[in-house]
């Protein structure tokens, strides 16, 4: 299948890209990074139609725009803010996607949902407590972004409780890894430098996007 070929190319290209980052050739970012998410998107585009296909592609489009904009953060803080806005829209789109995804036949366990919600709230509070003293003029944008990505994680967790396996696990794992990626980025930029930060940010980011995409496709299998 053509879409499977694009996923294999995405995986192989991601490994090469990550190796280049790990070896310290971050100056090649400008040429390599913009190619990654389009490869993943082609895999979805050539997949059969399903109800949330366009929403998934839209989320990846804004992620790609954010990737490109963040390549120019050295030119000014405005590029970081614009990149933040683009990823903010991407996460909101993921929230819409998870909400519109078919509900499946599993009944939500309200106790587990409550426990998970508390842990996600604790993450949000803890992360903001660490970052707020050093955010300066970016307090409001970062607070909004952290809140939205936490809500995205909550939507994914809700899906984990009600969607069919194994798609539910893929999507929820992807959302967790996405939060880890953004957390590394935030800590590195606002709190303390993280060694090999670019490598770890992109490793978790690329894995997260892949897991979410594969999870959504597994939740929309070919009908018999």
């Amino acid at each position: 299948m053509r879409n499977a070929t694009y996923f294999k190319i995405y995986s192989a290209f991601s490994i090469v890209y990550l190796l280049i980052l790990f070896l310290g050739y971050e100056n090649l970012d400008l040429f390599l990074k913009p190619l990654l998410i389009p490869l993943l998107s082609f895999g979805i585009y050539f997949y059969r139609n399903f109800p949330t296909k366009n929403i998934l592609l839209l989320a990846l489009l804004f992620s790609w725009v954010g990737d490109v904009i963040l390549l120019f953060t050295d030119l000014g803080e405005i590029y970081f803010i614009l990149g933040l806005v683009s990823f903010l829209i991407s996460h909101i789109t993921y929230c819409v996607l998870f909400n519109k995804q078919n509900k499946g036949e599993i009944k939500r366990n309200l106790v587990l949902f409550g426990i998970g919600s508390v842990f996600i709230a604790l993450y949000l509070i803890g992360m903001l407590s660490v970052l707020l003293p050093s955010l300066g003029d970016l307090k409001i944008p970062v607070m909004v972004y952290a809140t939205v990505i936490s809500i995205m994680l909550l939507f994914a967790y809700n899906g984990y409780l009600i969607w069919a396996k194994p798609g539910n696990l893929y999507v929820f794992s992807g959302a967790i890894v996405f939060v880890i990626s953004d957390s590394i980025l935030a800590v590195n930029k606002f709190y303390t430098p993280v060694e090999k930060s670019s490598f770890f940010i992109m490793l978790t980011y690329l894995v997260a996007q892949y897991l979410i995409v594969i999870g959504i496709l597994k939740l929309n299998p070919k009908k018999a």
Side-chain angles (χ1 to χ4, degrees):
M1 294 176 67
R2 196 186 305 181
N3 69 300
T5 300
Y6 279 111
F7 291 145
K8 291 175 182 177
I9 295 173
Y10 170 83
S11 299
F13 194 87
S14 294
I15 292 172
V16 173
Y17 171 74
L18 290 169
L19 179 60
I20 289 172
L21 277 187
F22 186 78
L23 295 175
Y25 297 103
E26 296 182 14
N27 56 315
L28 297 177
D29 244 12
L30 186 64
F31 307 101
L32 300 179
K33 189 177 180 182
L35 301 177
L36 291 161
I37 295 301
L39 288 172
L40 195 58
S41 299
F42 282 135
I44 302 162
Y45 181 79
F46 288 110
Y47 190 75
R48 63 171 188 80
N49 288 328
F50 56 93
T52 55
K53 179 177 180 178
N54 289 335
I55 302 175
L56 177 57
L57 286 171
L58 187 63
L60 288 175
L61 173 62
F62 280 107
S63 292
W64 177 77
V65 171
D67 283 342
V68 173
I69 292 174
L70 289 179
L71 289 171
F72 302 98
T73 52
D74 290 343
L75 300 179
E77 195 72 21
I78 184 62
Y79 290 97
F80 177 77
I81 296 174
L82 291 175
L84 200 70
V85 170
S86 186
F87 273 107
L88 179 71
I89 297 172
S90 176
H91 288 309
I92 292 173
T93 308
Y94 272 130
C95 288
V96 174
L97 171 68
F98 298 158
N99 186 55
K100 285 185 174 293
Q101 177 57 45
N102 55 9
K103 300 298 188 283
E105 299 177 356
I106 305 172
K107 187 176 180 179
R108 182 196 297 122
N109 186 316
L110 293 179
V111 173
L112 288 179
F113 181 75
I115 293 172
S117 300
V118 169
F119 275 104
I120 293 171
L122 289 175
Y123 155 78
L124 176 60
I125 294 168
M127 180 58 66
L128 290 178
S129 297
V130 170
L131 298 178
L132 280 177
S134 55
L135 290 179
D137 294 336
L138 291 176
K139 280 185 180 180
I140 299 300
V142 172
M143 286 175 65
V144 171
Y145 186 87
T147 301
V148 169
I149 195 172
S150 298
I151 293 172
M152 184 275 291
L153 180 58
L154 183 62
F155 271 91
Y157 178 64
N158 178 65
Y160 172 75
L161 295 177
I162 62 175
W163 295 332
K165 297 178 180 179
N168 63 340
L169 181 59
Y170 274 87
V171 173
F172 181 48
S173 299
I176 291 174
V177 180
F178 216 139
V179 170
I180 292 172
S181 179
D182 280 345
S183 298
I184 296 171
L185 188 153
V187 168
N188 180 70
K189 183 173 180 62
F190 297 114
Y191 187 67
T192 186
V194 176
E195 188 174 355
K196 298 283 185 184
S197 60
S198 295
F199 169 78
F200 288 112
I201 290 167
M202 289 307 299
L203 170 64
T204 48
Y205 171 71
L206 295 174
V207 169
Q209 295 281 29
Y210 181 82
L211 287 174
I212 291 173
V213 165
I214 297 301
I216 293 297
L217 297 189
K218 286 183 177 296
L219 290 171
N220 292 274
K222 186 176 181 179
K223 295 181 179 179

